[in-house]
Structure formats: structure tokens, C-alpha cells
Amino acid sequence: MIDLYSDTVTHPSAGMRQAMTQAVVGDEQRDEDPTTNALQVQVSALLGKEASIFLPSATMANAIACRLHTRPGEAIICDARCHILNSETGGLAVYSGIVPRIVNGHRGHFTPEQVEEQLTLSGHYRPLTTLLACEQTHNAGGGTIWSLEQLQAVCKVAHDNGLKTHLDGARLLNAAVAINIPASDYAAPFDTVTLCLSKGLGCPIGALLVGSAADIARARTFKQQFGGSMRQSGILAAAGLYALEHNVKLLAADHDNAHRLGEGLADLPGFDVEMPIETNMVFVNVKRTGMTAAEIASRLRQAGVGCSQSGPTRLRFVTHMDVNAEDVGRAVVSARTVMG
Ligand SMILES: *Cc1c(COP(=O)(O)O)cnc(C)c1O
């Protein structure tokens, strides 16, 4: 099986497992886990912020960010296809009591004018808009990369209007590697940033929320309240430290493989590959095949290729460190056999 369902399917490598077994640990809830503390220091520096907090998942990091920056009844501006809105089971409503002001971005990216348009909807009978969220890379938008200028521009409008800003940077390092811009530059316009370790970076578990010392101090309280405090989490943090040292540079190969895959799939009858492919994701609209995405995903699975469904006629393929160029070539051949 060549599993292109997601980059979450990566298994910790032998080197990572070894680092995990050797981790020095303590009680993380009491700030006494040295490896977790070291990871937090390193990720704060990587993203150019004062502080960070290690969490079980990026979903929890986003939930805590929303909770930090808003009060119940307020509104968050976000893209229609963003993860916070579509893949966190309404967490923004449950944990923060907020409503979305939805912007229809282009492949997940919206403009300062679209933010301004949302902000004109003010008045004492409207929800107060207090948070803007962006996603880098934008998953459902196509693994797409916001330009630094556009991120700066939307955050400027937000800050000028008294909003806080949060970046769901679950795959921020994919953008940084693809464009060769430091992750801290992308993080700079934001009050808080989420970074996920269990996607392309290959860790089994873990994410961080990064921000000012004051915001992260409050985030500690929410971490405890949300049940996210851990004990000897150094075992997991060691995987994170290993990933930052060894796996970030592997992301470039994932991007190359996604390009290869996209080119190969584009040759299949009725497969419309969304272009350009910017990072490690390939989205394909299969409407012209006359079949549904579910039907094609099932055929591909039988041929040994895993992918995910992203709409009635939309499929997603994600490359990662557990598939190499040869695997991608084999996946295309298998797909051609069942679709040709
Ligand atoms: C996967 C993902 C998350 C959530 O990450 P988990 O660690 O699995 O909770 C958040 N945002 C984006 C854009 C994602 O792709």
C-alpha cells in the first residue's frame, strides 16, 4: 500500500524512536520536564516569539488560541475552507463560544479588502469581530502558500481594527522550506502561531502554540482546563527535537514528489489536477470521469494507493517522508492501470 491519505500516516523513524527512548523526563505539568522545556525554547526561537507551549495536538493549539483572543459571542474572520472551521468539530463554538465570519478566499487566501468588508459589518446588534485566522500552508486550498506580503497586509488591517491574529501553521515549515523564507518571517505578523509535529515532520504526537510570554502564560491555564497537561511528555518532545534537526530538510523531497505525482495523475483520463502544486499536496477534480471521488478512492485503494476524499468529486493525495520518488512512480502506474 502506498498511503497518500495524509502526511499524518508517517511512522516515527528508527532514529526518532531512539531519541525518544533516551529522553530525560520529568513532570511536564509542573514545568519539570527538561526535554519538553528544551523543545519549547527551540520552537519559540524558530518562530521568533517569546514563548511556546507543547500540546497534544494542533487542534488543541487552535482551540486555545481562539479561547485566548476572544470572548463568547464574538466573531472570528476566517476562510471558508479552513481547518479551524471545518475539521475541529465546531470547537470554536464549544470552547470559545464564537461565530465565524466566513471569507471566500482563493485557494484559501483572502485579501485585505475582504477583511475590511467583514469589518464594515459593525453595530451594537452585531457580533464584535476580535480575531483573524489564516492557515499556512492552506490544507483544503491545495497545500497552498500565502505570500508574505499578503499575510502582512491582512494582519495589518486586522491589527489596525483592534483584532488579534492567529496563524494555523500546522504545516508552516512546508511553506518555509518551499519558498526559503524563515518561518519566523511568516509568524511575525501574528499574535499566536500553531505548529504541528505529527504531519510531515514525522512525529507520532504533538504540536506547539507560540506567542508572547503573556499569551502563553494564559495558554497554560487553558491547557490544563482542556485536559492537555501531560506528565513525562519529554518522550514526545524528544521526537519533536529530533524532527527539527533531521526532518525539516526532508520536506523539500516531499514537495518534489508531489510535483511528480501531480504530473503523473494529470495524464489520467478525466483527472483535473489543481495547479500549481505548491507543497506536498495534490488535489484532483475527477468530475469528468463520471465517477464520484468515493468510487475512485475505492478503486485506487484496491490497486494499493491510498488517498482521501475532499469533496463529492475531489480527491487529495499527500506526499510524506514514508514515500519516496519510486513509490510515487508506482502509485501513478497503479492508478493508470485501474483508471486507464
Ligand atoms: C492537521 C491540521 C490541524 C490539526 O492537527 P492535529 O495535530 O492533527 O490536531 C490543524 N490545522 C491544519 C491546517 C491541519 O492540517
Side-chain angles (χ1 to χ4, degrees):
M1 182 79 173
I2 301 163
D3 197 353
L4 304 170
Y5 173 84
S6 175
D7 43 11
T8 56
V9 303
T10 48
H11 289 191
S13 63
M16 180 177 281
R17 286 170 193 254
Q18 195 179 358
M20 294 171 77
T21 62
Q22 290 167 357
V24 181
V25 296
D27 189 341
E28 181 267 347
Q29 191 197 50
R30 293 160 63 193
D31 286 336
E32 289 170 0
D33 185 275
T35 309
T36 300
N37 292 342
L39 176 66
Q40 289 172 167
V41 168
Q42 198 162 319
V43 171
S44 309
L46 179 68
L47 297 192
K49 301 285 186 205
E50 286 173 353
S52 75
I53 186 164
F54 186 49
L55 297 164
S57 69
T59 300
M60 189 184 286
N62 287 338
I64 291 178
C66 289
R67 183 70 183 79
L68 271 179
H69 299 310
T70 63
R71 285 178 300 186
E74 294 179 349
I76 175 177
I77 296 176
C78 59
D79 174 69
R81 295 201 281 189
C82 74
H83 195 279
I84 290 179
L85 189 56
N86 295 287
S87 302
E88 301 182 5
T89 57
L92 81 177
V94 176
Y95 299 118
S96 297
I98 57 176
V99 293
R101 278 198 184 282
I102 297 170
V103 175
N104 287 304
H106 172 68
R107 304 189 85 200
H109 309 159
F110 45 84
T111 63
E113 291 73 26
Q114 285 178 293
V115 176
E116 266 160 4
E117 194 183 319
Q118 292 298 321
L119 293 171
T120 58
L121 301 170
S122 62
H124 64 270
Y125 49 88
R126 307 255 192 213
L128 186 65
T129 304
T130 50
L131 178 59
L132 171 85
C134 298
E135 193 173 303
Q136 176 83 310
T137 61
H138 200 288
N139 182 342
T144 52
I145 303 172
W146 281 81
S147 76
L148 185 55
E149 295 70 29
Q150 199 168 343
L151 277 183
Q152 288 166 339
V154 295
C155 286
K156 184 174 185 324
V157 172
H159 284 143
D160 286 351
N161 286 278
L163 277 67
K164 298 288 186 177
T165 55
H166 174 67
L167 180 64
D168 177 359
R171 295 187 183 79
L172 175 58
L173 297 182
N174 287 83
V177 165
I179 303 291
N180 201 18
I181 284 183
S184 54
D185 285 8
Y186 287 125
F190 292 92
D191 293 294
T192 50
V193 181
T194 292
L195 180 71
C196 188
L197 299 174
S198 69
K199 302 277 169 75
L201 295 179
C203 296
I205 298 172
L208 290 104
L209 181 68
V210 190
S212 70
D215 276 344
I216 298 305
R218 284 184 67 225
R220 294 200 67 77
T221 308
F222 295 126
K223 175 182 178 178
Q224 173 69 16
Q225 191 175 85
F226 290 11
S229 290
M230 295 178 274
R231 301 298 179 186
Q232 287 73 33
S233 61
I235 300 272
L236 302 173
L241 287 166
Y242 180 92
L244 293 178
E245 189 178 342
H246 300 280
N247 293 353
V248 176
K249 52 180 171 278
L250 305 181
L251 295 174
D254 298 347
H255 302 165
D256 290 345
N257 287 334
H259 278 105
R260 268 189 204 101
L261 180 68
E263 278 164 25
L265 293 177
D267 279 343
L268 299 184
F271 272 45
D272 293 316
V273 175
E274 294 179 18
M275 295 287 186
I277 291 159
E278 300 185 27
T279 54
N280 67 330
M281 296 188 178
V282 179
F283 283 82
V284 185
N285 196 309
V286 295
K287 198 167 184 177
R288 287 195 299 114
T289 63
M291 281 184 267
T292 64
E295 284 164 348
I296 292 183
S298 144
R299 272 201 197 190
L300 291 175
R301 199 175 311 115
Q302 280 161 22
V305 180
C307 64
S308 70
Q309 236 183 287
S310 170
T313 59
R314 194 177 189 230
L315 291 172
R316 187 189 74 169
F317 301 79
V318 186
T319 57
H320 51 79
M321 67 175 66
D322 289 356
V323 294
N324 58 27
E326 215 170 83
D327 296 327
V328 163
R330 284 198 293 128
V332 171
V333 171
S334 302
R336 194 173 294 140
T337 310
V338 288
M339 295 309 304

